[in-house]
Each structure stands twice: as C-alpha cells, then as structure tokens.
Amino acid sequence: MPANILGKNFKIISFGESHGECVGVVIEGCPAGLKIDLDQIQKEIDKRKPGQSALTTQRKEEDKFKILSGVFNGITTGAPICLAVFNKDVDSSKYEIIKKIPRPGHSDLPAFFKYNGFNDWRGGGRFSGRMTLNYVFAGAIAKQILEKSGIEVLAHTIQIGKIKAEKQKNEDIRKNKERTLVRCADLKAAEKMENLILEIKEQGDSVGGIIECLILNPPVGLGEPVFNSLESELAKAMFSIPAVKGIDFGAGFGVAELKGSENNDEFFLEQGKISTKTNNSGGILGGISNGMPIVFRIAVKPTPSIAKPQQTINLETKKQEYLKLEGRHDPCIIPRAVPVMESMAAVVLTDLGISGGFIPKVFRK
Ligand SMILES: Cc1cc2nc3c(=O)[nH]c(=O)nc-3n(C[C@H](O)[C@H](O)[C@H](O)COP(=O)(O)O)c2cc1C
C-alpha cells in the first residue's frame, strides 16, 4: 500500500525531507489545458513560509519553487507535474540529540522503532511541518482548477488556546484573515491570540487551536459513498497534516445534544434552487455534498518541540533524562497550518470533482 500518495484521479505524491536536498510533489492526473498562474502559487506558499513573524519558526527559507515537468508554455500538458524547492537554511546540529533522546509529543520515538533508526531524523525528516509545503504546492494548482468552476476554499483561525473568535461573515473572513498574523478574521480576538502566542513563547512553551474551512459554492454530488465519502476523504487528508488531532463537520460533536427537529436542516426553495435554512450537516449528507457550503474544523495540538525541560528516555542508556530543546520551532502551528488546510481541502475537492465528472480531464478554453 503506497503511503505517500493521496487521491485517485488528482493524485499527489509527496517527496523530500526537511533537511534533505529538496521537498516537492508530483501531481498525476492534473487536467491538461490549465493556464498556470505562477505568482498565485508563490503567494500561496509564502503564506506557509517559515520566518514570517515572531509567531513562527525563525528558519529562513526563500521557498522559491521550480516546476520541473508537466507545464509547457505556461499551460498544463496532462503529464505529471513536478514542483520542488531546494532546502537552503538547514542546520541539523540541533537535531543530533533527538537521535537517541526522543522528544515527548513528536514522532521521534515511534519512527525510531518502526524504521530501526534508518529514518532521516534531520529537522524531523519526513515528519517535519516542512513537508506541508508540498501540500500547498498541490493545493495552489488545485485551487486554480476549482476557481474555474467557481468553487472557493476559505480557511481561517477560530481559536488559539482558550481565545475564541466571534462568528464572521464570509466577506469579512475573505477581507480580514490575511490582515492578521494568526489568520483570524475577528480582529479583536486576533490581537489577543497574537499576544497569547508571544507570552507562551516567552515561557518556552507552545499552544494549539482550531481552524475552520469553508468550501463555498460546491456542486451537489461530490463524494463517492461509502468508503470514499466526502467526509472520509477530507478527514484522511486533514489527518495527513502533522499535529492535527481532530476534525468535525457542521454542528460536529454538538449534534449529540440536539433533537432531530433541531439538527435537521429544513429545505426550502430560493429562486428555484433547493437550499437549507440551517447548515448543521456542514453541507454533507450521506457522504455527498448537498450544495450548501461545506464546513469543517480541525483541532491542532500545541507544537511538541518546546524549550521547557521535559522528561524522556535515552534510547542508548535506557535511562530517564530531561530534554531541553534548542532550535527553531513554531510556538503555535496554527498560523502556518491555515494555508495547509485550505490546500488539502482543495486537493480533495479537485480529486472528487474529477471522479464526479464536475471537472474535465482537458480544459478546452
Ligand atoms: C505547518 C506546521 C509546522 C510545524 N512546525 C513544527 C515545529 O516547528 N516543531 C515541532 O516540533 N513540530 C512542528 N509541527 C508538528 C509536527 O510535525 C508533528 O507534531 C509531529 O510530526 C508529530 O505528528 P503528530 O503531532 O501528528 O502526532 C508542525 C506542523 C505543521 C503542520
């Protein structure tokens, strides 16, 4: 079972390591005839770039990407597209320690035993947040495909630690989220979130949060029940983002407290189109999009690598030790995970859009 491939019709293969030569993605099944907007791809990956602000890791990567195949005269040819970035700001010395002293909360310990120590540990190797640059590459192309069908993918931060954003209108999310370092459209809450991250960073600690994703203007019929339902495909993609620990759709776990009469989204006709009064289902019924906005959230844990000393085991001596980490880490993963969530959602929608016949294999104009 190939483990580094996602999707069936718009298939992405993620390659590279955090401190290896490069990171990149191969996309198999991208429709031919798509005019690629290179600036748009760069804009998307700049949102995820390290070193953006005091709220993110200070690793400095330019992330200037190269398209190595599948695009000719600026247009996709239908052949596999390969995008890559060569890693520049690599300092693996701070990671030597985790070869034998695994970080609590990180992948070091299970990866060491699973791969018998052969895994690339430099900068977290394949488990690094850096690997999500590949998701943003693929997502940047997927978004350009979805745009042609009028489908918009919009993710924004709704919670960091215990600070929650007030619900915002879609136009305000669009307008405001990139104005704040935490990508939260509630400007007042965003300021509090930023201060919280700085405070927690000062304490040598980290903090998690919740990101919401909205897919606007989807067609009815995305999703292939039962095993490739829209929920299962989105969940699989979201859990491929490191540090994601939960997902819920629409009213989510809140449905447990509702009666059927409260939870059911009643149908009505609006200018000849069937709509629902509420959207507790998150735009998905029976694993298929129902035409309402698709709404789901992911819970992201606090960054495992922290400066505060934590108890662990030395795998060589089998003795207990305290690990105090140095190195460059995100005090909160959320701000950089917002474009990653958006990208993975776009990849899934494109994949299901092709299998459902909503997206052609060749764009003819
Ligand atoms: C955008 C992004 C940035 C991340 N940055 C860091 C980081 O600086 N330090 C760290 O320890 N983990 C970071 N992570 C999380 C780890 O990669 C992740 O927690 C680890 O691989 C273990 O996987 P799990 O949390 O899914 O169990 C980041 C994740 C993402 C998505």
Side-chain angles (χ1 to χ4, degrees):
M1 180 67 179
N4 295 288
I5 304 178
L6 183 80
K8 290 171 190 69
N9 296 282
F10 184 83
K11 218 176 246 189
I12 67 166
I13 305 172
S14 168
F15 66 87
E17 291 87 17
S18 180
H19 287 190
E21 198 66 28
C22 64
V23 293
V25 70
V26 174
I27 306 169
E28 161 74 12
C30 181
L34 177 75
K35 193 170 182 317
I36 294 286
D37 183 340
L38 298 177
D39 292 341
Q40 200 52 40
I41 299 178
Q42 191 64 54
K43 247 190 226 161
E44 291 294 327
I45 64 178
D46 284 350
K47 289 184 201 162
R48 195 222 66 99
K49 219 165 65 167
Q52 292 172 44
S53 73
L55 305 188
T56 63
T57 164
Q58 291 309 296
R59 180 172 175 177
K60 289 265 184 277
E61 288 285 1
E62 272 190 1
D63 285 351
K64 292 284 169 230
F65 70 96
K66 254 188 175 293
I67 297 186
L68 301 171
S69 70
V71 178
F72 179 54
N73 289 332
I75 300 174
T76 56
T77 61
I81 300 175
C82 180
L83 292 110
V85 155
F86 286 86
N87 296 321
K88 294 227 164 67
D89 187 14
V90 168
D91 173 11
S92 305
S93 60
K94 302 275 190 319
Y95 289 84
E96 288 273 346
I97 192 164
I98 63 163
K99 268 193 294 180
K100 53 178 185 190
I101 306 180
R103 287 169 288 181
H106 216 295
S107 53
D108 311 329
L109 184 128
F112 177 85
F113 286 111
K114 182 172 173 69
Y115 301 107
N116 203 21
F118 290 117
N119 55 299
D120 185 345
W121 47 265
R122 299 167 303 165
R126 292 284 294 166
F127 300 94
S128 167
R130 179 137 187 87
M131 298 314 301
T132 60
L133 172 53
N134 297 344
Y135 302 173
V136 180
F137 277 148
I141 305 246
K143 274 189 181 179
Q144 293 181 27
I145 296 170
L146 295 175
E147 228 169 69
K148 284 175 93 68
S149 312
I151 302 171
E152 185 185 5
V153 187
L154 195 60
H156 63 122
T157 301
I158 58 166
Q159 186 172 340
I160 288 185
K162 290 187 177 146
I163 300 170
K164 295 182 185 176
E166 298 280 340
K167 195 170 164 45
Q168 304 289 307
K169 291 191 191 127
N170 293 346
E171 62 257 36
D172 291 332
I173 298 171
R174 228 176 260 127
K175 188 171 78 186
N176 290 334
K177 71 154 180 157
E178 287 302 325
R179 290 174 57 195
T180 70
L181 296 177
V182 286
R183 302 205 153 89
C184 170
D186 174 347
L187 301 177
K188 271 195 197 145
E191 201 182 325
K192 288 187 198 151
M193 290 172 181
E194 288 172 23
N195 291 335
L196 174 68
I197 297 175
L198 291 174
E199 215 176 280
I200 296 268
K201 182 183 171 185
E202 202 53 42
Q203 295 162 11
D205 219 328
S206 62
V207 64
I210 300 179
I211 313 172
E212 180 176 76
C213 188
L214 311 168
I215 296 162
L216 303 171
N217 201 27
V220 182
L222 287 170
E224 304 297 332
V226 287
F227 293 122
N228 302 329
S229 73
L230 183 48
E231 282 135 320
S232 37
E233 295 294 290
L234 282 169
K236 183 178 170 112
M238 293 304 132
F239 283 122
S240 310
I241 304 172
V244 170
K245 288 290 146 184
I247 183 165
D248 73 353
F249 295 85
F253 276 69
V255 295
E257 292 177 11
L258 299 178
K259 293 184 203 140
S261 55
E262 294 165 327
N263 184 54
N264 291 342
D265 303 309
E266 292 185 78
F267 295 114
F268 73 103
L269 272 174
E270 193 181 37
Q271 291 162 353
K273 187 182 168 242
I274 300 174
S275 227
T276 62
K277 288 185 184 165
T278 48
N279 192 15
N280 290 325
S281 72
I284 308 173
L285 290 171
I288 307 169
S289 62
N290 67 2
M292 292 302 287
I294 298 163
V295 185
F296 60 104
R297 290 162 292 271
I298 54 171
V300 180
K301 76 184 196 184
T303 318
S305 303
I306 52 173
K308 266 195 174 162
Q310 291 210 293
Q311 188 179 307
T312 176
I313 303 289
N314 185 319
L315 297 176
E316 266 173 26
T317 63
K318 303 279 184 301
K319 294 230 165 81
Q320 223 165 270
E321 284 199 20
Y322 276 86
L323 177 66
K324 187 176 179 332
L325 278 172
E326 289 176 48
R328 302 163 298 184
H329 294 281
D330 292 291
C332 179
I333 291 166
I334 292 277
R336 296 178 63 217
V338 172
V340 178
M341 181 186 195
E342 224 169 68
S343 299
M344 283 309 250
V347 165
V348 169
L349 279 236
T350 303
D351 189 40
L352 291 174
I354 296 173
S355 63
F358 299 103
I359 296 170
K361 296 222 162 117
V362 180
F363 289 111
R364 308 224 169 249
K365 50 174 182 159

